[in-house]
Amino acid sequence: MAVMIKKVGVIGSGQMGNGIAHVAALGGLEVVLNDVSADRLKSAMATINGNLSRQVAKKVITEDARKAALDRITSSDTMDGLADCDLVIESAVEKEEVKRKIFHDLCAVLKPEAIVASNTSSISITRLAASTDRPEKFIGIHFMNPVPVMELVELIRGIATDDATFDASKEFVTKLGKQIAVSEDFPAFIVNRILLPMINEAIYTLYEGVGNVEAIDMAMKLGAHHPMGPLELADFIGLDTCLSIMQVLHEGLADSKYRPCPLLVKYVEAGWLGRKTQRGFYDYRGEKPVPTR
């Protein structure tokens, strides 16, 4: 029988985690937002409130809906706060060892019938599921960034994921008003399998001197009608995340076309990760972004 999902846990209160909490609460579900730091949780709640308020200002939701959504979210800096959740979605950093540790700690407190999901953008669902005590109740639920705005969610079954888990996850995503793309469990799934090599190629174009930052972004915005240039988008995603996904593709598919550009590696080594560190392919510390190359 399919699990009835009424209470959702979200592990990780960063950009993706607070976005998932936001849409789940708006969808009428009780939400527990978990992180290791009380300060991060406080910041995340402020971000959620700000984003909900923007939706009110744009008349996307009502003020009553904003208040009700906030009332449905509680925060917890321990795994114990997730014990009675029906579904827990991990949205931590894109590093497999970190995710495995989270699942180990989570499964120790979580009720046996609960579903566990990962918001990973590239890592094998089958492999992550094998690190838990419930591979048949494990699934990939990959939201797009920014979560409140983007319509798509990728659903990825591991080899052991059962039908009840898949059906319950589909019902959950549909309740949030999102569209579902079902992906096989291959490295980076559908969206990032296509998107990240394009971004990586744009970085190679910069690395090889074919064009500068502004020319490359303008070319794709005006020449291909992309809403954001690939280097600007890389900064938005986070260059460390871009590198992690390219490494997963390169290692998982063993094809040289997925080799991360050395310039991307250099930026990550410098700690220039994009918007979140105020420097990436653009410098965001002034009044307007300025290219760094």
Short mmCIF file of all heavy atoms in Angstrom, two decimals, residues 62 68 132 140 192 200 207 215 220 241 248:
data_model
loop_
_atom_site.label_atom_id
_atom_site.label_comp_id
_atom_site.label_asym_id
_atom_site.label_seq_id
_atom_site.Cartn_x
_atom_site.Cartn_y
_atom_site.Cartn_z
N THR A 62 -2.09 34.37 -1.45
CA THR A 62 -2.70 35.36 -0.57
C THR A 62 -1.87 35.50 0.72
O THR A 62 -1.04 34.65 1.04
CB THR A 62 -4.13 34.95 -0.18
OG1 THR A 62 -4.06 33.74 0.59
CG2 THR A 62 -4.98 34.74 -1.42
N ALA A 68 -0.29 30.70 6.74
CA ALA A 68 -0.58 29.27 6.97
C ALA A 68 0.63 28.41 6.63
O ALA A 68 0.95 27.46 7.35
CB ALA A 68 -1.78 28.85 6.13
N THR A 132 21.29 2.61 3.07
CA THR A 132 20.21 2.77 4.05
C THR A 132 19.67 1.40 4.48
O THR A 132 20.04 0.37 3.91
CB THR A 132 19.04 3.60 3.48
OG1 THR A 132 18.31 2.79 2.54
CG2 THR A 132 19.53 4.86 2.79
N GLY A 140 14.89 9.05 -5.72
CA GLY A 140 15.42 10.37 -6.04
C GLY A 140 14.28 11.31 -6.37
O GLY A 140 13.43 11.01 -7.23
N ASN A 192 20.54 17.70 -15.87
CA ASN A 192 21.95 18.02 -15.72
C ASN A 192 22.85 17.25 -16.68
O ASN A 192 23.96 17.68 -16.97
CB ASN A 192 22.39 17.81 -14.28
CG ASN A 192 21.91 18.94 -13.38
OD1 ASN A 192 21.82 20.08 -13.81
ND2 ASN A 192 21.56 18.63 -12.15
N ASN A 200 29.89 23.46 -19.10
CA ASN A 200 31.31 23.10 -19.14
C ASN A 200 31.94 23.51 -20.46
O ASN A 200 33.08 24.00 -20.51
CB ASN A 200 31.45 21.59 -18.92
CG ASN A 200 32.87 21.16 -18.60
OD1 ASN A 200 33.50 21.68 -17.69
ND2 ASN A 200 33.38 20.19 -19.35
N TYR A 207 38.08 29.46 -21.56
CA TYR A 207 39.44 28.97 -21.28
C TYR A 207 40.33 29.04 -22.53
O TYR A 207 41.51 29.40 -22.46
CB TYR A 207 39.31 27.53 -20.79
CG TYR A 207 40.57 26.77 -20.48
CD1 TYR A 207 41.46 27.21 -19.50
CD2 TYR A 207 40.85 25.57 -21.13
CE1 TYR A 207 42.60 26.48 -19.19
CE2 TYR A 207 41.97 24.83 -20.83
CZ TYR A 207 42.85 25.29 -19.86
OH TYR A 207 43.98 24.56 -19.56
N ALA A 215 30.89 38.21 -23.82
CA ALA A 215 30.57 37.79 -25.19
C ALA A 215 29.88 36.42 -25.19
O ALA A 215 28.91 36.19 -25.92
CB ALA A 215 31.84 37.74 -26.03
N MET A 220 24.73 33.49 -26.09
CA MET A 220 23.71 32.48 -25.81
C MET A 220 22.36 33.11 -25.45
O MET A 220 21.31 32.53 -25.72
CB MET A 220 24.18 31.54 -24.69
CG MET A 220 25.38 30.70 -25.09
SD MET A 220 25.16 29.82 -26.67
CE MET A 220 23.88 28.66 -26.22
N THR A 241 29.24 22.99 -7.26
CA THR A 241 28.20 22.03 -7.66
C THR A 241 28.38 21.62 -9.12
O THR A 241 28.26 20.44 -9.46
CB THR A 241 26.80 22.62 -7.44
OG1 THR A 241 26.65 22.96 -6.06
CG2 THR A 241 25.71 21.65 -7.83
N VAL A 248 31.01 13.52 -11.56
CA VAL A 248 30.14 12.34 -11.55
C VAL A 248 29.92 11.83 -12.97
O VAL A 248 29.98 10.61 -13.23
CB VAL A 248 28.79 12.66 -10.87
CG1 VAL A 248 27.77 11.55 -11.13
CG2 VAL A 248 28.98 12.85 -9.37
#
